[in-house]
Amino acid sequence: MNRTTFGTVEGREAQLYSFENANGMEMSVCDYGAHLVSVKVPGKDGGKKDMVLGYDDVSGYVTDPCHLGATIGRNGNRIANASFELNGVKFQLAANENENNLHSGPDGYEYRFWEVKEVKEQAITLHLDSPDKDQGFPGNFSVDVTYTLTDDNQVAIHYCGTCDADTVANMTNHSYFNLNGHDSGDVLKHAVCLKAGCYSPVADSKSIPTGEHAAVAGTPMDFTKEKTIGLEIGADFEQLKLTGGYDHNFIIDRDGDGLQLFAVVRGDQTGVVMEARTDLPAFQFYTGNFIDHVKGKDGVVYTSRTGFCLESQYIPNAINEEKEDKPILKAGETYDTTTAYRFIF
């Protein structure tokens, strides 16, 4: 493990923690926002390619419009009308995307320093206390996020928390991956297979799901057999037009408990394969449609579709949908979920 200063935020130094496994793969995590800053994978030429979009220092993350590598909480994705009812009480959140709440509002967990609770040779645990009514959510929520770099080349992200009142808990990681390297241009030729026979159509460009679990078969949303991201992203299909490309929730075809393989992606230039697993019911597949000339690491300018996200989650706006599994954490119970990304190179 190596720790370096990663710049300052309002006079406080941010720290970057870097780890390497037995195979030469590297992972870097920042205590500001519990960001996943880099994942470097050895190449056949002897060098290493960084597979995660990000910034050279913490200043980029302070003003980041895209949530690159961010730990999102308390709730990832969207809540309609920035409000929900729990135990007969209505809770109002910040309306930061149209009239809806996106990624818990402008005061997300990615814009705060986390306490470094424990550092091991290939893992780091960061801690955050989120007080009652923080972002509008009920209860004092105490949460840890642990990043582990394993010797089978996984970046495993474990969330563990408790709350003293019933609350919403639906955290995720918002890393943008490019398996050709963060500086290699668009991901349209990446080959993708998703273990999802259904997705959540959105009602309009505000991207709130309709509540339908629509079959992907016969539509451009079908990735049950491997195809490239770019093959049908520009198809004459209403759902893709509403969101400017893929930016939809997919429902995992689960065949048991525990970690479920839900996505396999292959970089066309490097041949690097990423397998994604989670114990959650769904994930957001987003192709970076709205990245707009963001200056990232090494002076690289990120533009539309230069990275893709696989954000594990409960179905967006599930808290307001009677038929969906709701992301409710009961008082005194433990929020405990893991998502892992394994790289094959």
Side-chain angles (χ1 to χ4, degrees), residues 68-185:
L68 303 186
T71 293
I72 304 293
R74 294 186 194 189
N75 181 74
N77 216 302
R78 295 170 174 88
I79 294 178
N81 299 313
S83 65
F84 64 93
E85 188 174 297
L86 183 59
N87 299 331
V89 178
K90 183 177 180 180
F91 294 91
Q92 188 66 47
L93 313 175
N96 64 318
E97 188 193 58
N98 301 307
E99 66 270 24
N100 303 317
N101 178 269
L102 173 64
H103 296 323
S104 303
D107 188 25
Y109 291 177
E110 71 267 37
Y111 302 116
R112 309 180 190 186
F113 276 98
W114 289 59
E115 174 193 351
V116 177
K117 187 174 181 179
E118 185 177 30
V119 180
K120 297 182 179 179
E121 186 176 352
Q122 290 177 206
I124 183 170
T125 299
L126 303 110
H127 176 81
L128 186 72
D129 288 316
S130 176
D132 181 38
K133 302 302 188 296
D134 185 18
Q135 305 166 320
F137 294 101
N140 296 289
F141 183 46
S142 177
V143 65
D144 292 344
V145 174
T146 300
Y147 288 89
T148 302
L149 175 61
T150 70
D151 282 336
D152 68 347
N153 303 322
Q154 282 194 109
V155 173
I157 309 171
H158 177 224
Y159 309 85
C160 185
T162 59
C163 195
D164 60 2
D166 293 358
T167 194
V168 171
N170 181 29
M171 297 180 66
T172 195
N173 182 273
H174 208 297
S175 287
Y176 292 73
F177 299 99
N178 186 321
L179 303 183
N180 293 330
H182 81 100
D183 56 354
S184 64

Side-chain angles (χ1 to χ4, degrees), residues 261-319:
L261 178 69
F262 69 89
V264 180
V265 187
R266 176 171 47 84
D268 58 293
Q269 297 174 22
T270 61
V272 171
V273 173
M274 187 180 81
E275 298 176 341
R277 292 173 170 82
T278 191
D279 50 22
L280 291 170
F283 63 95
Q284 190 84 0
F285 178 44
Y286 175 47
T287 48
N289 311 317
F290 302 109
I291 302 174
D292 185 13
H293 292 85
V294 173
K295 187 176 181 181
K297 288 183 275 194
D298 306 320
V300 176
V301 176
Y302 303 137
T303 56
S304 178
R305 300 170 182 167
T306 52
F308 67 90
C309 301
L310 292 167
E311 306 159 59
S312 54
Q313 62 186 7
Y314 285 87
I315 291 174
N317 197 42
I319 190 64

Side-chain angles (χ1 to χ4, degrees), residues 218-295:
T219 78
M221 313 303 283
D222 191 351
F223 285 88
T224 55
K225 294 182 179 179
E226 183 182 88
K227 70 178 182 184
T228 62
I229 290 173
L231 182 65
E232 296 183 285
I233 199 169
D236 185 13
F237 186 67
E238 182 185 18
Q239 286 295 310
L240 292 176
K241 291 180 177 180
L242 288 173
T243 55
Y246 297 105
D247 188 9
H248 292 77
N249 176 75
F250 286 76
I251 301 154
I252 298 170
D253 297 331
R254 298 199 64 87
D255 54 14
D257 296 328
L259 290 182
Q260 169 81 51
L261 178 69
F262 69 89
V264 180
V265 187
R266 176 171 47 84
D268 58 293
Q269 297 174 22
T270 61
V272 171
V273 173
M274 187 180 81
E275 298 176 341
R277 292 173 170 82
T278 191
D279 50 22
L280 291 170
F283 63 95
Q284 190 84 0
F285 178 44
Y286 175 47
T287 48
N289 311 317
F290 302 109
I291 302 174
D292 185 13
H293 292 85
V294 173
K295 187 176 181 181

Side-chain angles (χ1 to χ4, degrees), residues 38 40 48-50 52 54-57 181-183 295-302:
S38 69
K40 295 179 180 178
K48 297 182 182 181
K49 287 190 177 292
D50 191 346
V52 173
Y55 300 98
D56 286 325
D57 59 49
H182 81 100
D183 56 354
K295 187 176 181 181
K297 288 183 275 194
D298 306 320
V300 176
V301 176
Y302 303 137

